[in-house]
Amino acid sequence: MPTSQRKRVLSGMRSTGKLHLGNYVGALQNWVRMQDQYECFFFIADWHALTTDYADTSKVKENSLEVLLDWLAAGLDPDRSTLFIQSHIPLHAELHLLFSMITPLGWLERVPTYKEQRENITEKDLTTYGFLGYPVLQAADILIYKGNFVPVGEDQVPHVELTREIARRFNQFYGKPGPVLPEPQPLLTPTPKLPGTDGRKMSKSYGNTILLTDAEPVVRQKLKTMVTDPARVRRTDPGNPDLCPVGDLHKIFSSQETMAKVNEGCRSAGIGCIECKGWAADALLKVLLPIQERRKKYEENPRLAWDILMTGTAKAAKVAEATMKEVRSAMGMSLDYEPLSKSEGAK
Ligand code: TRP
Ligand code: SF4
């Protein structure tokens, strides 16, 4: 498809440091594929990281760089995608502020992640203005690029819905003669359930991750300690891969042949868990090794990656500036000089 006719995809990732396999399977892998079909904008949401990690900012920049290196390693291609960083485009903040004027508090209070996170993250004070406004900033991120599609996980769909509501309200107030901001569609990433080493969902906050940068021995060691079907206590007990987190890994990463061997061997107690985990490690490493190979170039010279980010940021800023011109003008606040209107009584 000619580049100019492509629909625009936009997505962001909070800068949380080194990425893990869950980030890869759940998002990144999908983004890499989209580069063939869409005009892609991907950005590091470092301001969004601050909504929860505001108290200690010593790692923000390093975390952003780690995310960037993992992106490039995974195959995001600066020749096809615009890669940029949120905090270097302050126009997001301007649009966020304007949106904050028209977003009713009730809309924000009923966002599911707002309640959930405030209940789950008890070690931080999340009763802040910024945390409540998280989805308003996200709406600004999306609408400032007039993104058509926003690839996200299930948990982010309410944020895209809210973005649509904000766009609609903006257009109602200021969109004459025509709408200024298009309503984006969420593009649900079909995410297989990726378990961490403890069997719960792989997540940085659980400390159960396998990192994209984990070296082969580390991957093998992590697999060794991974939980299995609890019914398989002894080597002679049959097990069930459908009830085993290692079985879930096989389903995502292993070939049909291996999967067949696992199914047969586990259910008949013909194989041991150690052997089975070795095969799972092989399958993971087949994905990880090429990623780690590509990362080397940037790891040796992170400056190269940072330059890519700065080039992408300059490109994105142009698009953002064009939208903000329209936004300001739709709101009657363009920066162009206009003479005073002659009203009654003004002599
Ligand atoms: N909230 C998203 C997350 O936690 C990250 C994000 C910020 C985002 N702004 C965005 C995603 C805009 C898509 C579009 O994953
Ligand atoms: Fe899980 Fe494999 Fe052990 Fe079966 S053999 S319980 S699938 S680790």
Side-chain angles (χ1 to χ4, degrees):
M1 201 191 295
T3 325
S4 59
Q5 285 169 29
R6 293 184 183 202
K7 295 265 189 195
R8 187 173 288 173
V9 152
L10 175 123
S11 199
M13 212 180 262
R14 286 154 48 106
S15 44
T16 48
K18 288 193 159 79
L19 300 180
H20 55 73
L21 264 179
N23 302 125
Y24 181 70
V25 176
L28 198 46
Q29 193 180 27
N30 218 37
W31 293 7
V32 170
R33 290 194 198 113
M34 288 180 159
Q35 301 182 109
D36 299 326
Q37 247 188 305
Y38 299 101
E39 185 197 4
C40 292
F41 284 76
F42 298 120
F43 73 97
I44 297 170
D46 56 344
W47 277 341
H48 276 108
L50 290 187
T51 58
T52 49
D53 296 337
Y54 55 83
D56 176 7
T57 55
S58 59
K59 289 272 161 25
V60 228
K61 193 151 179 184
E62 185 182 323
N63 286 345
S64 295
L65 187 57
E66 290 286 4
V67 169
L68 176 67
L69 294 185
D70 279 333
W71 280 8
L72 295 166
L76 287 189
D77 172 4
D79 289 331
R80 289 185 290 160
S81 294
T82 305
L83 310 178
F84 65 101
I85 181 162
Q86 183 186 39
S87 65
H88 287 48
I89 308 191
L91 294 168
H92 289 225
E94 182 184 351
L95 191 56
H96 167 257
L97 175 110
L98 296 174
F99 285 167
S100 77
M101 304 299 169
I102 64 169
T103 308
L105 277 179
W107 290 9
L108 300 177
E109 282 158 353
R110 63 165 200 254
V111 170
T113 43
Y114 177 67
K115 257 185 81 180
E116 273 161 33
Q117 300 230 44
R118 278 195 46 187
E119 280 162 15
N120 292 336
I121 307 179
T122 46
E123 72 280 8
K124 291 169 197 160
D125 180 2
L126 296 184
T127 60
T128 57
Y129 182 51
F131 187 70
L132 178 68
Y134 186 111
V136 183
L137 181 57
Q138 187 161 346
D141 297 336
I142 297 168
L143 295 172
I144 207 165
Y145 300 101
K146 301 189 176 177
N148 302 109
F149 297 112
V150 187
V152 284
E154 197 97 51
D155 62 315
Q156 293 292 313
V157 171
H159 291 169
V160 182
E161 288 299 327
L162 191 83
T163 300
R164 294 165 61 87
E165 286 181 89
I166 292 175
R168 223 172 292 147
R169 195 165 163 92
F170 184 94
N171 290 332
Q172 267 164 17
F173 285 146
Y174 319 116
K176 287 177 197 80
V180 181
L181 301 171
E183 290 180 34
Q185 304 275 347
L187 215 68
L188 251 193
T189 315
T191 23
K193 179 187 143 217
L194 188 84
T197 48
D198 60 358
R200 291 187 290 176
K201 179 185 156 153
M202 190 177 285
S203 158
K204 190 180 180 192
S205 51
Y206 293 152
N208 63 0
T209 60
I210 295 168
L211 297 177
L212 296 185
T213 41
D214 279 344
E216 171 158 1
V218 178
V219 174
R220 295 202 181 275
Q221 186 53 38
K222 283 184 175 173
L223 259 278
K224 269 193 194 125
T225 60
M226 184 150 178
V227 300
T228 55
D229 176 0
R232 241 198 132 178
V233 183
R234 275 162 306 224
R235 169 70 178 77
T236 47
D237 296 332
N240 181 351
D242 293 334
L243 304 175
C244 173
V246 180
D248 290 333
L249 287 187
H250 276 296
K251 280 175 205 154
I252 299 168
F253 296 102
S254 289
S255 65
Q256 299 238 311
E257 292 80 27
T258 308
M259 197 62 236
K261 282 200 297 185
V262 169
N263 257 317
E264 209 282 316
C266 177
R267 289 172 208 274
S268 65
I271 57 168
C273 289
I274 307 259
E275 193 176 12
C276 178
K277 287 171 159 186
W279 298 339
D282 293 341
L284 294 192
L285 286 162
K286 241 177 120 170
V287 173
L288 292 179
L289 290 178
I291 294 178
Q292 295 177 2
E293 191 52 43
R294 261 196 305 267
R295 199 182 203 270
K296 275 195 193 131
K297 175 170 115 189
Y298 298 107
E299 229 160 34
E300 280 158 16
N301 191 359
R303 181 81 215 203
L304 209 63
W306 199 255
D307 285 345
I308 288 174
L309 191 67
M310 289 305 115
T311 306
T313 302
K315 233 175 108 189
K318 288 213 178 95
V319 179
E321 180 59 45
T323 307
M324 285 317 294
K325 281 210 172 101
E326 287 180 59
V327 162
R328 293 181 200 125
S329 139
M331 294 180 74
M333 302 174 85
S334 89
L335 304 180
D336 302 333
Y337 171 76
E338 278 168 32
L340 293 173
S341 55
K342 295 194 189 79
S343 56
E344 290 293 308
K347 291 268 159 67

